[in-house]
Structure formats: structure tokens, C-alpha cells
Amino acid sequence: MTQDERTTTLDALRDNILAGHLTRRGVLKRAVALGLSAPVIAGLLAACGDDDEDDSGGSGEPAATSGSTGGDATAASDSTETTDEDDDASATSEPSGDSGSGKGRGEGDLLRLLVWQAPTILNTHFSQGDKDGLASRLILEPLVNIMSDDTLTPVLAAEIPSLENGGVAEDGMSVTWKLKEGVVWSDGEPFTAEDVKFTWEYATDEATAATTFATYEIITDAQVVDEHTITFSFAEPNPLWFGTFSGSFYGAVLPKHILGDAIGEAARTHEFNLNPVGTGPYKLTEFRPGDTVLYEINENFRDADKPFFSTVELKGGGDATSAARAVLQSGETDYAWNLQIEKAVADQMAANAETGVLEATTGNSVEQLLINFADPNKEVNGARSEPTTQHPFFTDKAVREALKLASDRETIATELYGQAGSPTANTLVAPTSFNSPNNPIDFDLDAAEAMLEEAGWTGSPRAKDGVELSIVYSTTVNPVRQKTQEILKQAWESIGISTELKSIDASVYFSSDAGNPDTVSHFYSDVTMFTNGPVNPYPLDYMSGFKSDDPDTDIAQQSNQWAGNNYNRWVNDEFNELWLQAKTELDPDTQAELFIAMNDLVIEDVARIGLVHRGSLAGYSKRIKGHENSSWEIAVYDIENWYAEE
């Protein structure tokens, strides 16, 4: 179904609801058939009002059952309604990870993971990149996972809250989570609702300076109903009721019995950050930051049949090309993460692969350029790129526009990414309904030169009022990124912008070390480049990286230990108003309008320059089975389901 057909069908569904032709159950059936996301379903159900139908069954969340690696794993939410077109019967499925369908706990030997950007911390609430989230996910768990079709599956939650089961309030002002009983932390202490409440308190304490602050601050109050039930309240109707404790990256629940006295400044130096205790299938045996993580089975894991592999070794370091070779040709590893390698190299390796396979997953992220609106060279109390400063030439929008026009997205995507990417001008590309159609991918060096001339930037390198157009362009060490840099440098210098390239080791660049000047959050260069995107299908958290209504918290700077998500130091009041409206908007059409408008402001003001809509390219050993890809989750989110067939 095309997006236009989908929109037409959705409009017809809404018209039937408003005309009173459909009950709640009927709405759920049709929404499931259309594959609508959780926020859209919630909005449709809200339009139903009250009806006389029995609302006791069905969570409102469709099942996700498509496996991709081995095709053996399935995931479905508790109390999920699954129907044929004319069948009102409902069926209940066991959630992934608790079904007793494992291949035998510890029956396998060593599982080898290769993450060439080595993790540096194991508490995702301080993480600056997926490498840390991946390493942590074997130990720490969220309440729910998000599948590629935008549906939710329980992890620590017993069921998915909905209007139907009373978990989601009719007015959108609260959500009640029921938690699985009998779950314990790897040290044997019981997991309860107090841990979930504590995680919210921990992440929203300003002195903690958690990188997840913006995700959790939408909650205004938490009430523990009983040991396995908790209600979160919101100041306004919240379409992202499911977002805070979902997903591999932001949703990790923390143990109160260990960290209860470590909120605030003490949180950043607590030993837990390097030695966490979790509810996941594995527990830590050794962590060498920037190098290796070793795991063994968590004997207290809730599923007696899982995980299959007795130990896990996560090796860091190297590069994407050597990682691909290790899984595809030499068989040195079972999984290789984020294989950002050139198209020609990937094609050749795949053709000659002996021990592994390459898998491309539709992605939600964009390889993009960040423009620094602060001055990376001016010191303020020993720090640079402070938001109190202004960039010496990026304050002129003509310079930013010229850079955008001189960025050849088509060549970068086609020649360097192949099946793993397509050109885009946007910063937000997922979900599809929020992907703006309004931004062209024009590449025009003549127009870029003319723009600079008209703005008074002349000479070689171009200068104006004694200020030269000379930029430092940084990114991580990676062959594809270095070649991207070269393509852009050549084009930018051809229009008179002097360009110095800087490459930083990924373990440093994405580090949360407040004392390291080369981290992405410090942004001590003029332009930087990385891949970023939303972690759930209502991307309020991702777009919070552009807001500035609370500048002391939002904008990365020395005073908040560079924990703010607004790395650009970009301030736009119109964007702030749109973001705040999106926080409470329940109508799906208006939601799409708001997110498209936010994206367009970022792109039109050239705070970001979208380059490539990236898919996820990873390598798996041919012996690995049981994994189900999700475009919203880190690959190891379902590692308890992985097994080996030699």
C-alpha cells in the first residue's frame, strides 16, 4: 500500500468512527490490519468515545512475527487480538523471552560479538552512542521493545497498556504499567515498581545530567499502586505514553537497591556505570572500557530455557571493513555491528562470503552534517563552543546554504552506501508518515558560488570583513566517512571554502567523558558528521535534540557537563513551539504536520544537512539463528532467543 492509499484508508476509517459505525473492537481489528502505529491507534480509539461493547479483551497492539535471521523467533504482545477479516475471536500469545521455547539454557558455547566502535560505559543513561547501548542491553532491560511495524512487545511489562485494558487514560494524562511478577535482578533482589519509579527520578534529576533527561521529563508524577503496578502522570495529554520505558537505548530500568543513594553528582562516578546489575539474560564478568566486555549467564533470568549461549564476548576496536571480514570470511566472530563499508567492498565480500551473511535492515537514521552555531575557537571559562558565543561566519545563513548546495548526496549514497542507504535532505525520516516531502537534494556548485558572492564573501579562500571561510570538519574514523569527507571537501573548496578534515576515534567521539574535548557533545569544530535518528515511532525524543526552551538543560555546554542533546547550539523559538505542541497532540494528522514542520525548520535554517537515509548493515555467522530484526531496536535486544546450528 502506498502512503497516499494508506492516508485515504485512514481517513475513511476515521470517518466511520465519527459516524458511529465502528465499535472499539472493530477499530482495533482494522487498525491492526492496516499496521498502524501505537500513537495512531490510541488517537483513533480516543475518537470512539464510550460504547457498549465488552472491552475486556485485546491490548490494541498487533503481533509482530516476521523473523529474519534463521526465521525462528517470534514476538507478540500479551492479550494481543489477532483476527481474520470476519472473525471476532481473539487469541493470547506469550511474549518473547518468557515462552519457554528456548533451545536450552547454556547449551551453546561462546557467542562472539564484534563492535568496532568499542563501548566505554555500560549505563545507557549516560551513553552517547549505540555502541554503549548495545553492550548494556545484554544486562539492562526496558519495559517494552518496539518492532519494525511500530508495535510493542513486553519485556519487563506484563502487558501493553491500552485504552481497552485501562492502562492508557482516555484523556491521555496517565498510563498504568503492569509488571511481570517473579522477576529478580541478577544479584537476587526482587524487581518491583519501585525500581521503575526510581529510574524516572534518577534520569530527571538535573544534577545527574543524564543523557536521557528529555525522554523522562514528560512524566510529572509516579504512583506505585502495588509491587507490580505503577501509574505515571503527565501535565498534559501525552501521545508518547509508551516512549519513556521503551527501546534498547533510553528505556533501561535501573535497580533502586544499588543506585538509590547515587542520584545527582554521585551518579556519574558510581561503579554501576562500569559494572551494572540488571534483569537481562547475561551479567558482567569483565569490562575493559574501549576494548572488551565479557558476560556469563544470569542464573536468575526469568526464562529457564534461555539464553542458549553460556558466555558472550564483545570485542571492540578495529574498523568496519575488518569487522565484515571477520564475520563473512574468517569466521572469527558471530555478529559484526554497523558495517559502514563502501558499496564495492560490501558487494565483493558478500559474493565471496564463506562463514557469514550480510543483512540490510530498513533504517530510521540519517548520516548528517551538524552546523555549529557557537564559536568553537573562543574560550569562555576554559570551555569552547559555549552557547553564549556566536559562530564567526555561520551566523550568515548564506554560508550555511552554500554548504548545503555544495553537498553531493547522490554520489555519496550511490557510490559509498549502495543498498545500505539512499540520498535524503531530511534529518527525520521515520516513521514514513513523518518523512517530509518538502526538501530537495539539489547539488549546484554554481548556485552555491553565486550565493556567497552575493552575500559579500569573496577571494580565495573567501573572506568578509576580515573573517575567512575556513572550517574544521570532524567525524569518526571510518572508511566510508573519510571518503564522504573527501567528496565534500573537494566540493566545498571548489566554491572557496577552506576545509580541514579531522578524524576522531569513535570510542572517544561518542564518549560521555566530560573532560574529553573531542566528544561530539563538546563539538569543538565547525561542522561534524554522524548518523542519528529516532528510537521510537513517535520521535519526540529525537527532535528534542533541536529544542532550546530550557537552554541550561537542552544545549550541550560546560555547566551541564555537555549532557544537553542540542549539540548544534541552535535556538529557534518557532521550533520550540512546535515541539511543545507535539508533546500533547493526539490527532495523527496533526502529529504528522507538526513533525514535518519541525524537520523543515531544521533543514531550511540549515542547522543540519541530511546526506543519506541509512539502513542497518550487519554481519551474522551462518550458524546463528533465532534473531528477529527490528528497525527500532539494537540488534542484541532479543539475544536470549539466539541459538546456533552448526
Side-chain angles (χ1 to χ4, degrees), residues 247-278:
S248 298
F249 208 133
Y250 293 102
V253 181
L254 301 175
K256 181 179 180 179
H257 69 281
I258 293 177
L259 292 172
D261 296 327
I263 289 182
E265 293 183 7
R268 299 191 69 87
T269 57
H270 197 279
E271 63 179 359
F272 180 90
N273 299 332
L274 302 180
N275 188 18
V277 169

PDB file of all heavy atoms in Angstrom, residues 247-278:
ATOM      1  N   GLY A 247      12.340   0.588  24.184  1.00  0.00           N
ATOM      2  CA  GLY A 247      13.532   0.639  23.351  1.00  0.00           C
ATOM      3  C   GLY A 247      14.806   0.329  24.088  1.00  0.00           C
ATOM      4  O   GLY A 247      14.942   0.515  25.295  1.00  0.00           O
ATOM      5  N   SER A 248      15.771  -0.153  23.321  1.00  0.00           N
ATOM      6  CA  SER A 248      17.033  -0.609  23.884  1.00  0.00           C
ATOM      7  C   SER A 248      17.874   0.512  24.459  1.00  0.00           C
ATOM      8  O   SER A 248      18.676   0.299  25.365  1.00  0.00           O
ATOM      9  CB  SER A 248      17.836  -1.332  22.788  1.00  0.00           C
ATOM     10  OG  SER A 248      17.157  -2.466  22.322  1.00  0.00           O
ATOM     11  N   PHE A 249      17.714   1.717  23.915  1.00  0.00           N
ATOM     12  CA  PHE A 249      18.651   2.772  24.262  1.00  0.00           C
ATOM     13  C   PHE A 249      18.212   3.543  25.506  1.00  0.00           C
ATOM     14  O   PHE A 249      18.917   3.631  26.500  1.00  0.00           O
ATOM     15  CB  PHE A 249      18.793   3.735  23.081  1.00  0.00           C
ATOM     16  CG  PHE A 249      20.120   4.433  23.022  1.00  0.00           C
ATOM     17  CD1 PHE A 249      20.820   4.493  21.832  1.00  0.00           C
ATOM     18  CD2 PHE A 249      20.671   5.022  24.138  1.00  0.00           C
ATOM     19  CE1 PHE A 249      22.042   5.133  21.753  1.00  0.00           C
ATOM     20  CE2 PHE A 249      21.889   5.665  24.081  1.00  0.00           C
ATOM     21  CZ  PHE A 249      22.578   5.723  22.884  1.00  0.00           C
ATOM     22  N   TYR A 250      17.008   4.102  25.467  1.00  0.00           N
ATOM     23  CA  TYR A 250      16.580   5.020  26.519  1.00  0.00           C
ATOM     24  C   TYR A 250      15.811   4.348  27.650  1.00  0.00           C
ATOM     25  O   TYR A 250      15.693   4.902  28.731  1.00  0.00           O
ATOM     26  CB  TYR A 250      15.699   6.114  25.917  1.00  0.00           C
ATOM     27  CG  TYR A 250      16.430   7.047  24.988  1.00  0.00           C
ATOM     28  CD1 TYR A 250      16.325   6.922  23.606  1.00  0.00           C
ATOM     29  CD2 TYR A 250      17.240   8.056  25.491  1.00  0.00           C
ATOM     30  CE1 TYR A 250      16.998   7.777  22.747  1.00  0.00           C
ATOM     31  CE2 TYR A 250      17.921   8.912  24.644  1.00  0.00           C
ATOM     32  CZ  TYR A 250      17.800   8.776  23.276  1.00  0.00           C
ATOM     33  OH  TYR A 250      18.468   9.616  22.434  1.00  0.00           O
ATOM     34  N   GLY A 251      15.246   3.174  27.401  1.00  0.00           N
ATOM     35  CA  GLY A 251      14.272   2.623  28.334  1.00  0.00           C
ATOM     36  C   GLY A 251      14.810   1.775  29.454  1.00  0.00           C
ATOM     37  O   GLY A 251      14.031   1.204  30.214  1.00  0.00           O
ATOM     38  N   ALA A 252      16.118   1.651  29.616  1.00  0.00           N
ATOM     39  CA  ALA A 252      16.692   0.734  30.602  1.00  0.00           C
ATOM     40  C   ALA A 252      16.250   1.079  32.022  1.00  0.00           C
ATOM     41  O   ALA A 252      16.430   2.196  32.492  1.00  0.00           O
ATOM     42  CB  ALA A 252      18.213   0.766  30.518  1.00  0.00           C
ATOM     43  N   VAL A 253      15.674   0.081  32.718  1.00  0.00           N
ATOM     44  CA  VAL A 253      15.267   0.246  34.111  1.00  0.00           C
ATOM     45  C   VAL A 253      16.470  -0.025  35.016  1.00  0.00           C
ATOM     46  O   VAL A 253      17.245  -0.962  34.784  1.00  0.00           O
ATOM     47  CB  VAL A 253      14.108  -0.706  34.454  1.00  0.00           C
ATOM     48  CG1 VAL A 253      13.671  -0.516  35.907  1.00  0.00           C
ATOM     49  CG2 VAL A 253      12.930  -0.475  33.510  1.00  0.00           C
ATOM     50  N   LEU A 254      16.615   0.793  36.056  1.00  0.00           N
ATOM     51  CA  LEU A 254      17.769   0.714  36.955  1.00  0.00           C
ATOM     52  C   LEU A 254      17.359   0.187  38.330  1.00  0.00           C
ATOM     53  O   LEU A 254      16.229   0.409  38.778  1.00  0.00           O
ATOM     54  CB  LEU A 254      18.402   2.100  37.108  1.00  0.00           C
ATOM     55  CG  LEU A 254      18.891   2.763  35.820  1.00  0.00           C
ATOM     56  CD1 LEU A 254      19.374   4.183  36.111  1.00  0.00           C
ATOM     57  CD2 LEU A 254      20.001   1.943  35.178  1.00  0.00           C
ATOM     58  N   PRO A 255      18.275  -0.493  39.043  1.00  0.00           N
ATOM     59  CA  PRO A 255      17.960  -1.055  40.364  1.00  0.00           C
ATOM     60  C   PRO A 255      18.065  -0.008  41.478  1.00  0.00           C
ATOM     61  O   PRO A 255      19.144   0.538  41.732  1.00  0.00           O
ATOM     62  CB  PRO A 255      19.020  -2.147  40.529  1.00  0.00           C
ATOM     63  CG  PRO A 255      20.189  -1.677  39.719  1.00  0.00           C
ATOM     64  CD  PRO A 255      19.621  -0.897  38.573  1.00  0.00           C
ATOM     65  N   LYS A 256      16.965   0.229  42.149  1.00  0.00           N
ATOM     66  CA  LYS A 256      16.954   1.212  43.238  1.00  0.00           C
ATOM     67  C   LYS A 256      17.831   0.754  44.400  1.00  0.00           C
ATOM     68  O   LYS A 256      18.485   1.586  45.052  1.00  0.00           O
ATOM     69  CB  LYS A 256      15.521   1.440  43.709  1.00  0.00           C
ATOM     70  CG  LYS A 256      15.407   2.466  44.830  1.00  0.00           C
ATOM     71  CD  LYS A 256      13.962   2.688  45.255  1.00  0.00           C
ATOM     72  CE  LYS A 256      13.888   3.719  46.377  1.00  0.00           C
ATOM     73  NZ  LYS A 256      12.491   3.973  46.803  1.00  0.00           N
ATOM     74  N   HIS A 257      17.872  -0.539  44.654  1.00  0.00           N
ATOM     75  CA  HIS A 257      18.612  -1.007  45.824  1.00  0.00           C
ATOM     76  C   HIS A 257      20.113  -0.783  45.680  1.00  0.00           C
ATOM     77  O   HIS A 257      20.834  -0.799  46.677  1.00  0.00           O
ATOM     78  CB  HIS A 257      18.306  -2.481  46.103  1.00  0.00           C
ATOM     79  CG  HIS A 257      18.843  -3.443  45.094  1.00  0.00           C
ATOM     80  ND1 HIS A 257      18.223  -3.666  43.875  1.00  0.00           N
ATOM     81  CD2 HIS A 257      19.943  -4.257  45.110  1.00  0.00           C
ATOM     82  CE1 HIS A 257      18.901  -4.575  43.203  1.00  0.00           C
ATOM     83  NE2 HIS A 257      19.956  -4.948  43.907  1.00  0.00           N
ATOM     84  N   ILE A 258      20.578  -0.553  44.461  1.00  0.00           N
ATOM     85  CA  ILE A 258      22.005  -0.288  44.246  1.00  0.00           C
ATOM     86  C   ILE A 258      22.273   1.208  44.066  1.00  0.00           C
ATOM     87  O   ILE A 258      23.249   1.744  44.601  1.00  0.00           O
ATOM     88  CB  ILE A 258      22.515  -1.065  43.017  1.00  0.00           C
ATOM     89  CG1 ILE A 258      22.492  -2.563  43.298  1.00  0.00           C
ATOM     90  CG2 ILE A 258      23.930  -0.623  42.630  1.00  0.00           C
ATOM     91  CD1 ILE A 258      22.907  -3.417  42.125  1.00  0.00           C
ATOM     92  N   LEU A 259      21.395   1.882  43.341  1.00  0.00           N
ATOM     93  CA  LEU A 259      21.646   3.281  42.982  1.00  0.00           C
ATOM     94  C   LEU A 259      20.800   4.277  43.768  1.00  0.00           C
ATOM     95  O   LEU A 259      20.831   5.474  43.473  1.00  0.00           O
ATOM     96  CB  LEU A 259      21.382   3.472  41.484  1.00  0.00           C
ATOM     97  CG  LEU A 259      22.363   2.771  40.545  1.00  0.00           C
ATOM     98  CD1 LEU A 259      21.883   2.873  39.101  1.00  0.00           C
ATOM     99  CD2 LEU A 259      23.759   3.361  40.678  1.00  0.00           C
ATOM    100  N   GLY A 260      20.061   3.801  44.754  1.00  0.00           N
ATOM    101  CA  GLY A 260      19.165   4.688  45.497  1.00  0.00           C
ATOM    102  C   GLY A 260      19.840   5.892  46.118  1.00  0.00           C
ATOM    103  O   GLY A 260      19.233   6.958  46.257  1.00  0.00           O
ATOM    104  N   ASP A 261      21.091   5.748  46.499  1.00  0.00           N
ATOM    105  CA  ASP A 261      21.834   6.859  47.102  1.00  0.00           C
ATOM    106  C   ASP A 261      22.771   7.527  46.104  1.00  0.00           C
ATOM    107  O   ASP A 261      23.653   8.294  46.499  1.00  0.00           O
ATOM    108  CB  ASP A 261      22.653   6.352  48.305  1.00  0.00           C
ATOM    109  CG  ASP A 261      21.769   5.829  49.427  1.00  0.00           C
ATOM    110  OD1 ASP A 261      20.660   6.370  49.609  1.00  0.00           O
ATOM    111  OD2 ASP A 261      22.185   4.867  50.105  1.00  0.00           O
ATOM    112  N   ALA A 262      22.598   7.236  44.832  1.00  0.00           N
ATOM    113  CA  ALA A 262      23.536   7.745  43.821  1.00  0.00           C
ATOM    114  C   ALA A 262      22.829   8.601  42.777  1.00  0.00           C
ATOM    115  O   ALA A 262      23.164   8.555  41.603  1.00  0.00           O
ATOM    116  CB  ALA A 262      24.262   6.594  43.155  1.00  0.00           C
ATOM    117  N   ILE A 263      21.847   9.378  43.209  1.00  0.00           N
ATOM    118  CA  ILE A 263      21.227  10.353  42.310  1.00  0.00           C
ATOM    119  C   ILE A 263      21.996  11.659  42.427  1.00  0.00           C
ATOM    120  O   ILE A 263      22.476  12.029  43.489  1.00  0.00           O
ATOM    121  CB  ILE A 263      19.734  10.555  42.663  1.00  0.00           C
ATOM    122  CG1 ILE A 263      18.933   9.317  42.269  1.00  0.00           C
ATOM    123  CG2 ILE A 263      19.164  11.774  41.964  1.00  0.00           C
ATOM    124  CD1 ILE A 263      17.449   9.438  42.533  1.00  0.00           C
ATOM    125  N   GLY A 264      22.096  12.381  41.322  1.00  0.00           N
ATOM    126  CA  GLY A 264      22.820  13.642  41.335  1.00  0.00           C
ATOM    127  C   GLY A 264      24.263  13.459  40.915  1.00  0.00           C
ATOM    128  O   GLY A 264      24.589  12.569  40.129  1.00  0.00           O
ATOM    129  N   GLU A 265      25.138  14.277  41.446  1.00  0.00           N
ATOM    130  CA  GLU A 265      26.540  14.243  41.032  1.00  0.00           C
ATOM    131  C   GLU A 265      27.187  12.880  41.277  1.00  0.00           C
ATOM    132  O   GLU A 265      28.053  12.442  40.517  1.00  0.00           O
ATOM    133  CB  GLU A 265      27.320  15.343  41.759  1.00  0.00           C
ATOM    134  CG  GLU A 265      26.914  16.757  41.337  1.00  0.00           C
ATOM    135  CD  GLU A 265      27.756  17.815  42.019  1.00  0.00           C
ATOM    136  OE1 GLU A 265      28.724  17.441  42.707  1.00  0.00           O
ATOM    137  OE2 GLU A 265      27.441  19.006  41.850  1.00  0.00           O
ATOM    138  N   ALA A 266      26.745  12.184  42.313  1.00  0.00           N
ATOM    139  CA  ALA A 266      27.334  10.877  42.635  1.00  0.00           C
ATOM    140  C   ALA A 266      27.037   9.842  41.558  1.00  0.00           C
ATOM    141  O   ALA A 266      27.754   8.838  41.435  1.00  0.00           O
ATOM    142  CB  ALA A 266      26.806  10.389  43.983  1.00  0.00           C
ATOM    143  N   ALA A 267      26.007  10.087  40.762  1.00  0.00           N
ATOM    144  CA  ALA A 267      25.610   9.111  39.745  1.00  0.00           C
ATOM    145  C   ALA A 267      26.674   8.942  38.671  1.00  0.00           C
ATOM    146  O   ALA A 267      26.885   7.846  38.154  1.00  0.00           O
ATOM    147  CB  ALA A 267      24.283   9.527  39.111  1.00  0.00           C
ATOM    148  N   ARG A 268      27.346  10.000  38.323  1.00  0.00           N
ATOM    149  CA  ARG A 268      28.266   9.966  37.186  1.00  0.00           C
ATOM    150  C   ARG A 268      29.545   9.184  37.486  1.00  0.00           C
ATOM    151  O   ARG A 268      30.223   8.727  36.567  1.00  0.00           O
ATOM    152  CB  ARG A 268      28.611  11.380  36.730  1.00  0.00           C
ATOM    153  CG  ARG A 268      27.397  12.183  36.270  1.00  0.00           C
ATOM    154  CD  ARG A 268      27.804  13.458  35.576  1.00  0.00           C
ATOM    155  NE  ARG A 268      28.428  13.196  34.283  1.00  0.00           N
ATOM    156  CZ  ARG A 268      27.765  13.048  33.143  1.00  0.00           C
ATOM    157  NH1 ARG A 268      26.448  13.109  33.125  1.00  0.00           N
ATOM    158  NH2 ARG A 268      28.408  12.826  32.014  1.00  0.00           N
ATOM    159  N   THR A 269      29.878   9.039  38.747  1.00  0.00           N
ATOM    160  CA  THR A 269      31.118   8.333  39.101  1.00  0.00           C
ATOM    161  C   THR A 269      30.843   7.006  39.800  1.00  0.00           C
ATOM    162  O   THR A 269      31.777   6.344  40.247  1.00  0.00           O
ATOM    163  CB  THR A 269      31.992   9.218  40.015  1.00  0.00           C
ATOM    164  OG1 THR A 269      31.240   9.592  41.176  1.00  0.00           O
ATOM    165  CG2 THR A 269      32.439  10.471  39.278  1.00  0.00           C
ATOM    166  N   HIS A 270      29.592   6.605  39.862  1.00  0.00           N
ATOM    167  CA  HIS A 270      29.256   5.370  40.573  1.00  0.00           C
ATOM    168  C   HIS A 270      29.785   4.162  39.812  1.00  0.00           C
ATOM    169  O   HIS A 270      29.770   4.117  38.580  1.00  0.00           O
ATOM    170  CB  HIS A 270      27.743   5.254  40.745  1.00  0.00           C
ATOM    171  CG  HIS A 270      27.326   4.260  41.786  1.00  0.00           C
ATOM    172  ND1 HIS A 270      27.258   2.910  41.535  1.00  0.00           N
ATOM    173  CD2 HIS A 270      26.972   4.419  43.094  1.00  0.00           C
ATOM    174  CE1 HIS A 270      26.858   2.281  42.630  1.00  0.00           C
ATOM    175  NE2 HIS A 270      26.679   3.167  43.593  1.00  0.00           N
ATOM    176  N   GLU A 271      30.235   3.150  40.547  1.00  0.00           N
ATOM    177  CA  GLU A 271      30.809   1.959  39.928  1.00  0.00           C
ATOM    178  C   GLU A 271      29.813   1.214  39.044  1.00  0.00           C
ATOM    179  O   GLU A 271      30.204   0.451  38.155  1.00  0.00           O
ATOM    180  CB  GLU A 271      31.349   1.020  40.999  1.00  0.00           C
ATOM    181  CG  GLU A 271      30.289   0.470  41.938  1.00  0.00           C
ATOM    182  CD  GLU A 271      30.869  -0.479  42.978  1.00  0.00           C
ATOM    183  OE1 GLU A 271      32.093  -0.711  42.948  1.00  0.00           O
ATOM    184  OE2 GLU A 271      30.094  -0.978  43.820  1.00  0.00           O
ATOM    185  N   PHE A 272      28.524   1.441  39.264  1.00  0.00           N
ATOM    186  CA  PHE A 272      27.487   0.791  38.458  1.00  0.00           C
ATOM    187  C   PHE A 272      27.659   1.092  36.974  1.00  0.00           C
ATOM    188  O   PHE A 272      27.337   0.255  36.126  1.00  0.00           O
ATOM    189  CB  PHE A 272      26.106   1.262  38.924  1.00  0.00           C
ATOM    190  CG  PHE A 272      24.948   0.653  38.169  1.00  0.00           C
ATOM    191  CD1 PHE A 272      24.365  -0.522  38.602  1.00  0.00           C
ATOM    192  CD2 PHE A 272      24.444   1.256  37.020  1.00  0.00           C
ATOM    193  CE1 PHE A 272      23.301  -1.091  37.910  1.00  0.00           C
ATOM    194  CE2 PHE A 272      23.384   0.698  36.325  1.00  0.00           C
ATOM    195  CZ  PHE A 272      22.810  -0.480  36.769  1.00  0.00           C
ATOM    196  N   ASN A 273      28.151   2.264  36.643  1.00  0.00           N
ATOM    197  CA  ASN A 273      28.291   2.660  35.242  1.00  0.00           C
ATOM    198  C   ASN A 273      29.224   1.728  34.463  1.00  0.00           C
ATOM    199  O   ASN A 273      29.091   1.589  33.248  1.00  0.00           O
ATOM    200  CB  ASN A 273      28.805   4.096  35.140  1.00  0.00           C
ATOM    201  CG  ASN A 273      27.855   5.088  35.789  1.00  0.00           C
ATOM    202  OD1 ASN A 273      26.656   4.855  35.864  1.00  0.00           O
ATOM    203  ND2 ASN A 273      28.402   6.198  36.273  1.00  0.00           N
ATOM    204  N   LEU A 274      30.153   1.114  35.176  1.00  0.00           N
ATOM    205  CA  LEU A 274      31.091   0.176  34.553  1.00  0.00           C
ATOM    206  C   LEU A 274      30.837  -1.270  34.977  1.00  0.00           C
ATOM    207  O   LEU A 274      31.449  -2.187  34.420  1.00  0.00           O
ATOM    208  CB  LEU A 274      32.532   0.567  34.903  1.00  0.00           C
ATOM    209  CG  LEU A 274      32.975   1.974  34.495  1.00  0.00           C
ATOM    210  CD1 LEU A 274      34.426   2.207  34.912  1.00  0.00           C
ATOM    211  CD2 LEU A 274      32.803   2.205  33.008  1.00  0.00           C
ATOM    212  N   ASN A 275      29.937  -1.460  35.928  1.00  0.00           N
ATOM    213  CA  ASN A 275      29.658  -2.806  36.436  1.00  0.00           C
ATOM    214  C   ASN A 275      28.182  -2.910  36.822  1.00  0.00           C
ATOM    215  O   ASN A 275      27.842  -3.037  37.998  1.00  0.00           O
ATOM    216  CB  ASN A 275      30.553  -3.114  37.633  1.00  0.00           C
ATOM    217  CG  ASN A 275      30.452  -4.567  38.074  1.00  0.00           C
ATOM    218  OD1 ASN A 275      29.996  -5.435  37.338  1.00  0.00           O
ATOM    219  ND2 ASN A 275      30.858  -4.828  39.313  1.00  0.00           N
ATOM    220  N   PRO A 276      27.286  -2.872  35.836  1.00  0.00           N
ATOM    221  CA  PRO A 276      25.857  -2.830  36.141  1.00  0.00           C
ATOM    222  C   PRO A 276      25.292  -4.172  36.570  1.00  0.00           C
ATOM    223  O   PRO A 276      25.820  -5.231  36.227  1.00  0.00           O
ATOM    224  CB  PRO A 276      25.240  -2.392  34.811  1.00  0.00           C
ATOM    225  CG  PRO A 276      26.183  -2.908  33.779  1.00  0.00           C
ATOM    226  CD  PRO A 276      27.550  -2.782  34.395  1.00  0.00           C
ATOM    227  N   VAL A 277      24.198  -4.084  37.322  1.00  0.00           N
ATOM    228  CA  VAL A 277      23.390  -5.243  37.689  1.00  0.00           C
ATOM    229  C   VAL A 277      22.047  -5.071  37.014  1.00  0.00           C
ATOM    230  O   VAL A 277      21.431  -3.998  37.094  1.00  0.00           O
ATOM    231  CB  VAL A 277      23.218  -5.337  39.215  1.00  0.00           C
ATOM    232  CG1 VAL A 277      22.162  -6.379  39.591  1.00  0.00           C
ATOM    233  CG2 VAL A 277      24.552  -5.661  39.877  1.00  0.00           C
ATOM    234  N   GLY A 278      21.590  -6.106  36.290  1.00  0.00           N
ATOM    235  CA  GLY A 278      20.355  -5.970  35.537  1.00  0.00           C
ATOM    236  C   GLY A 278      19.452  -7.175  35.660  1.00  0.00           C
ATOM    237  O   GLY A 278      19.707  -8.105  36.430  1.00  0.00           O
TER     238      GLY A 278
END
